[in-house]
Amino acid sequence: MDSGRIAHRRKADIPVIRPRASDKNQHIHEVGVKSLELSKVIRLLEDPLTANLKERHLFVLKKLLERSQLGFLLKELTGITKILNICAERGTDHPEYLPFLCQALQICRLPFLKEKTSDELSYAQDVVEFLSHMGCLMRMSDAEVRQQTLESVKCFYSCVAPKQLIDGTDRLSKPKPWTFPSGNQFSRLSPRLQPTSPGYRLQLLERSDLAQTLLLSLAALENQPAIKLQLLQTLQILSSSSDMNCALIVNARGAETICLHMNEPDPSGQVLFRSSEILWNLLDTGSKEVTAQLSSMECVTSLKEAFFHMLTNGSRHSDLQLRNDLLVITTLIAENPKSLLIESFFAKQLVVLATFPELKSYSPLVCNLKLSYNNEDLKMKKLLFNLLVLMSKDFTALQLYKEERVMLALLALVKPPVASSVPLEWTSAQREELQLQALSTACTLAPLMLDDYMSHQGNASLLLLLDHCVAQDSFFGQSHISHHRGGRGSTKAQMRHCIRVLRSVLSLGVDSVNQDFCDQGTINQFLGILMQMEASPDEDDAVTLEIQSDIQLILSALCENDMHRKELFGSDGVEMAIHFLKKGCDKFYSGLGHNKLILSTVDCVRSCIVGCYTTEDYFLAKNGACLLLDLLSSSPRCVHCNVLANLLELCDNPNTASHILSWRDAGGQTAPRFLLQLWRDEEEELKVSRNLHGGIADPQRPILRPYQQEDPQQSFPANIQSAAVLELSENLRLKIFSIVSKLGFQELPGLSRKDYVTLSIVRRYLDFKVGEVWNEIRRELDQDCVRPTTPDEEALSAIGKVAEDAAMRVAAEQNSILQQWEKEDIREEELMYTEIKSHWKQWELMAVSWDSYVSRTSNYEILKDIKAKREKYIESSRPKAKAAVHPKEHFVSQVMSVERTGAQGTAGVKVTLARAPLKMADGDVARATSQDPEYFSTVSVDE
């Protein structure tokens, strides 16, 4: 064909190279079929004058197949499509055309051929239409045509190597000529023809209707089970290879169609397996439409029949796996609130199966049922428990749980191995996994089935398991499931889920449940468990931290509104809280759960300590208030609200103020100064208008946030709080104002100038908030076009004026504070300048002295002049006449009288002395002066 054209274009002056024998045969064949044009073939098949020339048709079609043994050209696909459709129409009445269809479909397995690289893009739409019409051949009743069609589609995917990209490019090696098996007539393609990339057909197949057409043909294959199985295999390949194929199948209601046909008679036993795999692939796309299609009554019934068929008749490992796969599909359907699991009685049978074999049942479903107690049966039990959790959102399902005693079955699995009624056929690892799955299920169902939980003594069963976990002879964990994260090799996983169940039940606040729990002495038991876990070497383990925080939340739920339980919390509980507060926030963002532990500790202080004076006093004696302030200074902003709430409630105790005022942080900052800094940070976060020094910038809006100024005022119903009131719970300013009010606004230690400016705002915060609420009321009345009465209008105006005057007075006070501090700054500045001036004077004198010293040591004449001046000065300073010398006088003392005053010691003796001078000769004086001076000393007695 193409080589022949090349021969005709060859110039005459170029010598012709004689071809080899094989090339000659190929050339002759191509020239022979050159004149075979598709338009003529189509005209021959469609022309009424030649419609009955069957033998001529078959001859031409055979020639066409011979020419296309290496694959169909892209540019001829439109004609090939038309020829296939004509033969398919005639094949119904004339079976002679069917072999041509089968051979043409076999050629379709080969890649399409292109003459130019751009052909793939130019003829893409022709390929899409060809693939769509190819799927329409499944409408023919001939089994061979259907089989060849399916084989061709499957071949599209089998020829794609794993390393080749879906777009058909192969980056690992250079493109090579396409080769075929040696049985083909040609071993290589002509150099002018190249096969399309393997991924080319797959991309265009996703844009065609092939997947939908194959799906719709499923209903016509009831009498051809072998073809039906091949069709399911093909749909499985299509759905597993591309999400777009899955979308096409789902749009044709493929999930519903597959589900309704999966229970039809099947000699091979593979239809149900293939159907479940297709449903799996469709569900993996995450489309809600799939579960919506499977939620109909017909689909649920079909799933129920398939599941119980495999449950009762399946014995092989593959059968058990297929049973569990169907159960997973049912679980995904249960997530849809519109599913009809309960209405189809499928849910009731699954609930009965979930309680087997822990509870005896007379249901015919489980009377003759025997489990193998292998891993697949274990997976089925876990899937059933998971299904119970999903269906618990429906109140009707909870009624089924009560009728079938689901809570009793769960508690039977929860009990320790010694007291458990779990069948011994399960291994220890399997029993452990069932126990953890039952605990996880009870965590959801126990709060919803509280009556059943209490009637079956749920608290006692869980505490029995908890005692077993804490005991020294507890068994070691052996399973490897997700529940064991962080607790493998110990009973920590059981303890973790046990505490979770207790927390979910006790957090409901039901008095009877909480009282039953406390009557068993659990408060002290939990405190002991907390400190015991804290002393363990793996205290930073994520599971340990979760257990500790859950225990603290349980204690908070128990003690929050009960003074007696707060007393039971006692000093041991205070020691526990102090210990966890001392750990601080250094690991708040560690990701292991330290943040939850800190918040639960703060909540435990509020619920278990605050409100009981005995525990409060002990908490304060252990510097608990200072530890809360330490936590406040080192914690992120998200913790501040809870810590401030605790400090505020502690301030009701009169001993708290002294502890707060005595606190200092690492930088020496006092508590009032720190609280005022928090106030400024909060206002900066809220973007409240303030001047450069932190004072009031707008007296009409002293504490208003910008969004309250810009947003239009809305009218709120009477039962909904306004924005000004809601703002109180959203920020920290109200709590800081209340704490500072408890401490007093006078004589607060360690405040700076800016702190006093902020303190003036804090002092009048309540007045400002009242004025803001009244202004909000007035704006709301104006918006609703409501005019107050004249007295009310005057009252509103007066209230607004009072609030504005208060803000102006505070602003004036702030200016006065700033002016006073400015004067002090000026005085300090003048003092600083005086000190600097004196320093400079001293430096000048030192410079003069140094210059004088240098001149004396470097110039001898100057040194002589200075020495002369010094001698003259010494001479002038000597006295002119000798001063009179007075002789030393010596005297002796004499005791004149002694009186006693009655006081103790020497203070009670009053002594009166008299002295007399001594006169002696010169020699005696000399001798006297030569004596020891102490010879003439006197003794005195203090009066």
Side-chain angles (χ1 to χ4, degrees):
M1 183 179 65
D2 295 313
S3 58
R5 294 175 185 171
I6 295 173
H8 286 293
R9 290 199 199 114
R10 191 181 301 127
K11 294 182 180 180
D13 56 347
I14 299 177
V16 178
I17 300 175
R18 186 177 300 276
R20 293 175 300 176
S22 59
D23 294 339
K24 184 177 180 179
N25 294 334
Q26 179 179 354
H27 174 75
I28 294 173
H29 174 74
E30 290 182 354
V31 173
V33 298
K34 170 187 172 184
S35 60
L36 185 61
E37 297 180 1
L38 294 183
S39 59
K40 295 181 179 180
V41 176
I42 296 173
R43 190 181 310 115
L44 176 65
L45 296 174
E46 289 182 341
D47 193 345
L49 298 177
T50 59
N52 296 325
L53 301 178
K54 188 185 306 182
E55 294 180 358
R56 178 63 177 169
H57 295 169
L58 296 177
F59 176 78
V60 173
L61 293 176
K62 181 179 179 181
K63 291 295 182 179
L64 178 63
L65 293 177
E66 291 177 356
R67 190 191 71 171
S68 305
Q69 285 297 317
L70 303 180
F72 293 123
L73 281 170
L74 288 176
K75 66 179 183 179
E76 296 179 348
L77 285 181
T78 302
I80 297 294
T81 302
K82 198 166 186 180
I83 292 173
L84 291 178
N85 290 337
I86 295 173
C87 293
E89 292 176 0
R90 296 193 176 185
T92 305
D93 300 327
H94 305 282
E96 295 84 358
Y97 291 91
L98 297 181
F100 167 75
L101 290 176
C102 294
Q103 295 180 25
L105 289 172
Q106 290 179 357
I107 296 176
C108 290
R109 302 179 189 180
L110 303 175
F112 299 131
L113 302 180
K114 60 183 178 181
E115 294 179 341
K116 297 181 292 184
T117 304
S118 59
D119 286 352
E120 292 188 356
L121 183 61
S122 301
Y123 298 104
Q125 185 59 34
D126 295 345
V127 177
V128 171
E129 294 178 358
F130 177 80
L131 294 175
S132 299
H133 286 283
M134 181 178 171
C136 294
L137 295 178
M138 290 295 297
R139 300 173 184 174
M140 299 187 64
S141 59
D142 185 73
E144 183 66 20
V145 175
R146 290 175 174 177
Q147 182 178 359
Q148 292 299 331
T149 303
L150 297 175
E151 291 293 341
S152 298
V153 175
K154 288 191 290 185
C155 189
F156 292 169
Y157 293 89
S158 61
C159 65
V160 179
K163 295 183 180 179
Q164 289 174 325
L165 303 177
I166 191 63
D167 58 357
T169 59
D170 188 358
R171 300 177 183 174
L172 299 179
S173 61
K174 296 181 180 180
K176 299 180 180 179
W178 192 271
T179 60
F180 297 92
S182 58
N184 286 334
Q185 183 178 359
F186 307 108
S187 61
R188 292 183 182 272
L189 287 172
S190 172
R192 296 190 65 245
L193 297 177
Q194 288 294 325
T196 58
S197 57
Y200 177 71
R201 284 185 301 185
L202 303 186
Q203 285 183 332
L204 298 180
L205 187 147
E206 295 175 353
R207 302 180 184 178
S208 67
D209 298 333
L210 180 61
Q212 294 177 331
T213 307
L214 293 179
L215 175 70
L216 296 176
S217 64
L218 183 62
L221 300 177
E222 295 181 359
N223 299 325
Q224 297 177 347
I227 304 300
K228 177 181 179 181
L229 180 59
Q230 287 192 11
L231 176 59
L232 291 175
Q233 292 175 351
T234 306
L235 290 174
Q236 180 184 354
I237 295 174
L238 290 173
S239 60
S240 63
S241 62
S242 170
D243 290 343
M244 293 185 64
N245 288 336
C246 291
L248 293 173
I249 295 174
V250 172
N251 291 337
R253 301 196 66 82
E256 181 180 6
T257 303
I258 296 295
C259 186
L260 293 178
H261 289 85
M262 67 181 180
N263 290 321
E264 293 177 355
D266 174 32
S268 64
Q270 292 290 316
V271 171
L272 183 58
F273 170 73
R274 299 295 177 182
S275 301
S276 65
E277 290 296 322
I278 296 172
L279 293 178
W280 259 113
N281 295 333
L282 298 180
L283 289 168
D284 281 341
T285 61
S287 175
K288 295 182 179 180
E289 178 64 23
V290 180
T291 55
Q293 292 180 17
L294 296 177
S295 299
S296 63
M297 179 64 72
E298 294 80 5
C299 289
V300 172
T301 304
S302 179
L303 273 174
K304 179 177 70 171
E305 294 175 0
F307 173 76
F308 286 111
H309 172 74
M310 299 306 302
L311 178 67
T312 55
N313 300 322
S315 58
R316 297 174 300 177
H317 185 263
S318 58
D319 296 337
L320 301 181
Q321 286 182 330
L322 179 57
R323 176 198 64 188
N324 292 345
D325 291 343
L326 294 173
L327 191 56
V328 173
I329 295 174
T330 306
T331 302
L332 296 175
I333 296 174
E335 295 179 356
N336 185 10
K338 297 182 180 180
S339 64
L340 301 177
L341 291 176
I342 298 177
E343 290 78 359
S344 63
F345 297 100
F346 192 16
K348 181 177 179 62
Q349 293 171 320
L350 292 175
V351 171
V352 173
L353 187 60
T355 60
F356 177 80
E358 289 76 29
L359 299 181
K360 293 182 179 180
S361 176
Y362 297 101
S363 173
L365 176 65
V366 296
C367 283
N368 300 320
L369 181 63
K370 293 184 180 180
L371 298 179
S372 302
Y373 297 98
N374 52 22
N375 288 333
E376 295 302 324
D377 288 341
L378 177 65
K379 291 179 182 178
M380 184 186 71
K381 287 287 292 184
K382 291 162 61 177
L383 288 172
L384 289 171
F385 286 159
N386 185 42
L387 190 61
L388 293 178
V389 174
L390 293 175
M391 293 192 301
S392 64
K393 301 175 183 178
D394 193 336
F395 178 77
T396 309
L398 296 179
Q399 299 298 323
L400 290 177
Y401 297 169
K402 293 181 180 179
E403 294 174 2
E404 302 299 335
R405 301 175 297 168
V406 170
M407 185 56 61
L408 180 60
L410 293 176
L411 294 177
L413 289 170
V414 163
K415 293 180 180 179
V418 178
S420 177
S421 60
V422 180
L424 299 178
E425 288 81 359
W426 298 111
T427 64
S428 59
Q430 289 174 337
R431 287 198 301 270
E432 184 178 345
E433 290 195 24
L434 282 177
Q435 186 181 54
L436 292 173
Q437 190 71 36
L439 285 170
S440 179
T441 306
C443 186
T444 302
L445 298 186
L448 303 175
M449 304 173 61
L450 203 56
D451 294 338
D452 289 11
Y453 174 82
M454 292 301 296
S455 62
H456 298 305
Q457 299 180 351
N459 285 336
S461 300
L462 292 175
L463 290 176
L464 185 63
L465 175 62
L466 190 61
D467 291 338
H468 172 76
C469 295
V470 178
Q472 296 295 329
D473 58 345
S474 58
F475 68 98
F476 293 97
Q478 302 177 28
S479 63
H480 303 276
I481 58 176
S482 60
H483 299 289
H484 271 271
R485 181 175 57 86
R488 188 173 299 162
S490 67
T491 58
K492 193 180 294 183
Q494 283 82 357
M495 182 183 296
R496 173 193 187 188
H497 286 79
C498 182
I499 296 296
R500 279 185 181 179
V501 178
L502 291 173
R503 188 192 69 181
S504 65
V505 172
L506 298 175
S507 60
L508 298 176
V510 179
D511 293 337
S512 59
V513 178
N514 293 0
Q515 188 61 44
D516 175 74
F517 187 76
C518 293
D519 289 343
Q520 304 182 49
T522 51
I523 293 180
N524 292 328
Q525 180 185 1
F526 274 16
L527 292 175
I529 292 174
L530 269 177
M531 300 312 296
Q532 181 179 350
M533 296 184 68
E534 187 65 17
S536 63
D538 56 345
E539 59 175 336
D540 284 340
D541 177 67
V543 177
T544 302
L545 294 173
E546 180 184 344
I547 293 173
Q548 289 174 340
S549 60
D550 285 346
I551 290 178
Q552 289 181 345
L553 292 176
I554 290 173
L555 293 173
S556 301
L558 292 175
C559 302
E560 184 172 8
N561 299 317
D562 194 292
M563 188 64 63
H564 176 64
R565 295 171 189 168
K566 290 185 178 182
E567 293 175 353
L568 293 177
F569 188 79
S571 59
D572 292 338
V574 173
E575 293 285 353
M576 179 273 297
I578 292 293
H579 173 78
F580 284 102
L581 287 176
K582 287 181 178 179
K583 300 178 75 171
C585 289
D586 297 338
K587 300 179 181 179
F588 190 84
Y589 293 108
S590 65
L592 297 176
H594 290 89
N595 53 345
K596 297 179 182 178
L597 183 60
I598 291 170
L599 291 173
S600 63
T601 302
V602 173
D603 186 65
C604 191
V605 171
R606 180 189 65 83
S607 302
C608 303
I609 296 176
V610 175
C612 180
Y613 285 121
T614 56
T615 54
E616 277 186 6
D617 292 339
Y618 190 72
F619 180 74
L620 293 174
K622 290 290 183 178
N623 292 325
C626 296
L627 290 176
L628 287 176
L629 287 169
D630 291 336
L631 183 63
L632 185 64
S633 63
S634 61
S635 62
R637 187 175 182 271
C638 58
V639 186
H640 290 172
C641 185
N642 295 338
V643 179
L644 285 174
N646 279 2
L647 287 172
L648 177 58
E649 295 187 21
L650 273 177
C651 285
D652 292 336
N653 191 314
N655 300 324
T656 305
S658 60
H659 288 80
I660 294 178
L661 293 175
S662 64
W663 176 82
R664 300 291 186 275
D665 65 358
Q669 186 176 219
T670 61
R673 184 172 184 179
F674 174 66
L675 292 174
L676 295 175
Q677 181 62 43
L678 278 182
W679 178 284
R680 289 193 292 270
D681 294 342
E682 182 70 14
E683 288 193 334
E684 183 179 357
E685 182 73 20
L686 299 175
K687 298 181 180 180
V688 179
S689 178
R690 292 287 180 259
N691 58 25
L692 182 62
H693 302 285
I696 295 176
D698 186 1
Q700 294 183 351
R701 300 177 180 87
I703 58 173
L704 203 62
R705 290 191 281 183
Y707 85 90
Q708 293 176 296
Q709 305 174 20
E710 299 172 359
D711 293 349
Q713 182 68 24
Q714 298 179 355
S715 180
F716 295 95
N719 60 341
I720 298 179
Q721 296 177 343
S722 64
V725 179
L726 287 175
E727 188 262 348
L728 296 175
S729 60
E730 294 176 356
N731 60 71
L732 310 178
R733 291 189 292 180
L734 178 61
K735 296 179 178 62
I736 296 175
F737 163 75
S738 303
I739 293 175
V740 177
S741 300
K742 297 285 185 179
L743 299 177
F745 295 100
Q746 304 296 330
E747 299 180 358
L748 295 176
L751 299 185
S752 63
R753 177 193 321 175
K754 199 169 186 178
D755 294 330
Y756 280 109
V757 173
T758 306
L759 183 63
S760 61
I761 301 176
V762 176
R763 183 187 295 113
R764 304 303 297 271
Y765 174 75
L766 190 59
D767 298 335
F768 295 154
K769 178 55 66 175
V770 171
E772 179 186 340
V773 173
W774 279 108
N775 288 333
E776 191 177 66
I777 293 174
R778 184 168 186 172
R779 291 196 302 269
E780 188 173 348
L781 291 175
D782 294 340
Q783 184 181 5
D784 294 340
C785 300
V786 176
R787 181 187 176 279
T789 60
T790 302
D792 292 341
E793 179 69 26
E794 294 175 354
L796 288 174
S797 301
I799 292 172
K801 184 64 175 175
V802 169
E804 186 175 352
D805 291 343
M808 296 180 66
R809 286 196 300 273
V810 171
E813 180 183 351
Q814 292 173 345
N815 293 331
S816 175
I817 293 173
L818 294 175
Q819 291 175 2
Q820 181 180 356
W821 281 96
E822 185 176 355
K823 292 179 180 179
E824 292 184 3
D825 288 343
I826 293 175
R827 286 196 296 270
E828 291 179 358
E829 186 176 356
E830 292 176 351
L831 181 61
M832 179 63 68
Y833 279 126
T834 303
E835 185 176 355
I836 293 173
K837 185 177 180 180
S838 64
H839 284 311
W840 276 106
K841 186 66 176 178
Q842 184 68 25
W843 290 341
E844 291 176 357
L845 293 176
M846 290 175 63
V848 172
S849 176
W850 175 254
D851 293 340
S852 176
Y853 174 76
V854 172
S855 62
R856 289 197 308 270
T857 56
S858 61
N859 195 332
Y860 181 70
E861 295 298 331
I862 296 176
L863 181 61
K864 288 196 302 181
D865 291 343
I866 292 176
K867 184 177 182 182
K869 289 179 182 179
R870 185 178 296 171
E871 290 178 351
K872 183 178 179 180
Y873 176 76
I874 293 174
E875 187 64 25
S876 63
S877 64
R878 289 176 179 173
K880 301 299 182 180
K882 189 176 181 180
V885 179
H886 296 281
K888 295 182 180 179
E889 292 185 357
H890 301 275
F891 60 90
V892 296
S893 299
Q894 181 180 0
V895 179
M896 301 302 296
S897 64
V898 178
E899 298 180 4
R900 297 187 175 276
T901 61
Q904 298 292 330
T906 57
V909 181
K910 182 177 182 182
V911 182
T912 304
L913 302 177
R915 65 181 183 176
L918 298 178
K919 296 181 179 180
M920 57 187 67
D922 293 339
D924 295 333
V925 172
R927 287 193 300 272
T929 57
S930 64
Q931 298 289 335
D932 189 348
E934 292 187 1
Y935 179 80
F936 296 98
S937 64
T938 59
V939 178
S940 61
V941 179
D942 295 334
E943 297 183 1

